[in-house]
Amino acid sequence: MGDRWAWVQQFKIQPSRQPTASKLLHCAGVTLYNHVFLVLPASVAQWAWRPPVDLPDQAPSLLELIAGVIGNLLLFDFQYFIWHLLHHRIRWLYVTFHAIHHEYSSPFALATQCLGGWELVTVGFWTTLNPVILRCHLLTTWAFMVVHVYVSIEDHCGYDFPWSTSRLIPFGIYGGPSKHDVHHQKPNTNFAPHFSHWDKIFGTHAEFSFCTPVK
């Protein structure tokens, strides 16, 4: 759509760069491999080992649901910021595990899941564990999973739409697609996956600019 619709193309962060067929196929292959050999076995194991849990009789209040989703996003943001920073600062970790995700200096939605197995497992572990740590209602857990997947894809989609989360949340406290795009162009900036406060505290925050990609 971005190539064919001028209205959509105006929101492309790097309008001169488009994913090639080989990159799309590579991402699709990595994603399929990870889901068949990692996600599916983990899901089956979790289903087999954990006893069935009855659905709660009552739903959480709207305030509890919103607070739980935000709490999970903030906790994951802290965990992944540390993990991400270490995998960029320690060369062996970067080359061994994280470099595959940075083959794309102009990210696109499918690149969200173009991860090494180690990264996929650790991200999935925190995403699954955090609602347990925060003792969230089951509905809150489901809502968090949906929001978490959505904003992760939004960060990598390559477009900064008027309805992007970073534009809806005021005061620049949320990163969004433009700032994560900067991370793919300048990998030593914007490590936090969602919010911007940790990067500002540690001096790794960078605003979007048309910059030259750095490998």
Side-chain angles (χ1 to χ4, degrees):
M1 288 190 302
D3 287 336
R4 293 173 174 81
W5 295 5
W7 185 84
V8 174
Q9 184 68 12
Q10 67 179 312
F11 301 113
K12 186 137 183 21
I13 299 171
Q14 298 187 56
S16 63
R17 309 191 67 182
Q18 299 291 342
T20 63
S22 62
K23 288 184 176 181
L24 290 170
L25 287 173
H26 176 255
C27 263
V30 172
T31 301
L32 180 63
Y33 177 90
N34 284 340
H35 279 72
V36 170
F37 293 102
L38 292 172
V39 176
L40 180 60
S43 300
V44 172
Q46 185 180 40
W47 172 79
W49 293 339
R50 293 187 64 183
V53 178
D54 293 332
L55 293 175
D57 294 329
Q58 293 184 333
S61 69
L62 181 60
L63 182 61
E64 288 173 336
L65 188 146
I66 294 173
V69 170
I70 294 175
N72 275 285
L73 288 173
L74 286 169
L75 181 56
F76 179 85
D77 201 67
F78 171 69
Q79 294 162 332
Y80 191 79
F81 174 81
I82 296 174
W83 185 101
H84 200 182
L85 183 67
L86 289 175
H87 280 69
H88 276 267
R89 293 287 189 261
I90 301 174
R91 183 66 180 173
W92 178 79
L93 290 176
Y94 180 83
V95 172
T96 307
F97 300 115
H98 190 55
I100 186 174
H101 187 64
H102 277 276
E103 292 182 13
Y104 311 99
S105 57
S106 178
F108 47 94
L110 194 58
T112 310
Q113 284 288 301
C114 196
L115 308 170
W118 163 249
E119 182 168 3
L120 184 67
V121 169
T122 51
V123 168
F125 175 74
W126 292 324
T127 304
T128 305
L129 180 64
N130 288 350
V132 177
I133 294 175
L134 298 180
R135 302 181 66 180
C136 291
H137 189 283
L138 187 58
L139 183 59
T140 304
T141 300
W142 291 346
F144 160 63
M145 297 291 184
V146 172
V147 172
H148 183 54
V149 170
Y150 171 79
V151 294
S152 297
I153 295 173
E154 181 188 66
D155 276 355
H156 292 87
C157 73
Y159 292 84
D160 193 1
F161 294 110
W163 57 83
S164 294
T165 310
S166 55
R167 295 183 179 273
L168 300 178
I169 298 177
F171 311 119
I173 61 177
Y174 194 84
S178 289
K179 290 181 182 176
H180 193 71
D181 203 280
V182 172
H183 172 71
H184 277 261
Q185 296 179 63
K186 295 182 176 180
N188 288 318
T189 63
N190 296 353
F191 294 106
H194 300 317
F195 299 92
S196 60
H197 56 280
W198 290 115
D199 282 300
K200 290 178 179 177
I201 291 171
F202 285 92
T204 54
H205 179 262
E207 294 291 343
F208 173 76
S209 62
F210 292 96
C211 48
T212 303
V214 177
K215 294 183 178 180

